[in-house]
Amino acid sequence: MSELKSLLRLGALGAVAAVCVANVVGVARRGPSVSGVSSWDHDPVVAARMKYARVREALSAKGVSGPIGFIDDLPPGVDADPSVQDYYLAQLWLAPLVLDEKSLGHDWAVMSLHPGRLAAPLPAGWRKERDMGNGVWVLRRVAP
């Protein structure tokens, strides 16, 4: 009887090992995508998270808790769809801070540069407090 239990345990262990090996082989066959880029890399929500990841912590460290301005670099008359999307995604990832498109009246603002723009002129009365990378600057008002 003892030998039968030992054989059953050994058989169960062998079955578990076979399933584990089959799973590892299946994952290895799928491997990374052919392009080396996952589908998440093109998701605008995930990209925005990466874009605004450090901004909230930086503003919190400065004691900023109220509404802050949001400034984009699109000139008037340009299709605003990318700007609107960026505004709402920034609001998502910077919560609980509240973003205000009309930055007047706030001491702090986030400026979002769109892809392909390495620099943009600062709005009058603002200075760049910190370049957060990924085209995001934290601005501080220097003149009312």
Side-chain angles (χ1 to χ4, degrees):
M1 184 75 166
S2 169
E3 286 182 31
L4 182 60
K5 284 184 180 180
S6 293
L7 285 174
L8 288 174
R9 286 183 184 153
L10 188 57
L13 183 60
V16 169
V19 168
C20 290
V21 168
N23 284 335
V24 169
V25 169
V27 168
R29 281 188 180 167
R30 280 189 304 241
S33 65
V34 176
S35 66
V37 177
S38 75
S39 62
W40 288 105
D41 294 335
H42 300 293
D43 185 324
V45 176
V46 174
R49 179 176 185 213
M50 300 304 290
K51 187 174 180 178
Y52 296 105
R54 299 179 318 155
V55 175
R56 184 174 33 175
E57 289 90 18
L59 290 169
S60 178
K62 296 273 187 187
V64 177
S65 62
I68 62 173
F70 182 81
I71 303 167
D72 63 35
D73 63 338
L74 291 178
V78 174
D79 179 22
D81 284 346
S83 178
V84 171
Q85 178 180 349
D86 197 35
Y87 170 78
Y88 284 110
L89 289 173
Q91 181 62 79
L92 171 70
W93 293 114
L94 294 178
L97 290 173
V98 176
L99 295 180
D100 184 359
E101 292 178 284
K102 299 167 185 71
S103 58
L104 302 175
H106 302 294
D107 293 331
W108 293 90
V110 173
M111 184 168 183
S112 176
L113 303 176
H114 288 82
R117 302 277 313 259
L118 298 176
L122 290 176
W126 293 90
R127 74 162 187 232
K128 184 176 10 171
E129 183 77 14
R130 191 163 172 194
D131 184 341
M132 303 305 293
N134 292 324
V136 177
W137 298 346
V138 173
L139 306 180
R140 189 170 196 174
R141 181 178 293 287
V142 292

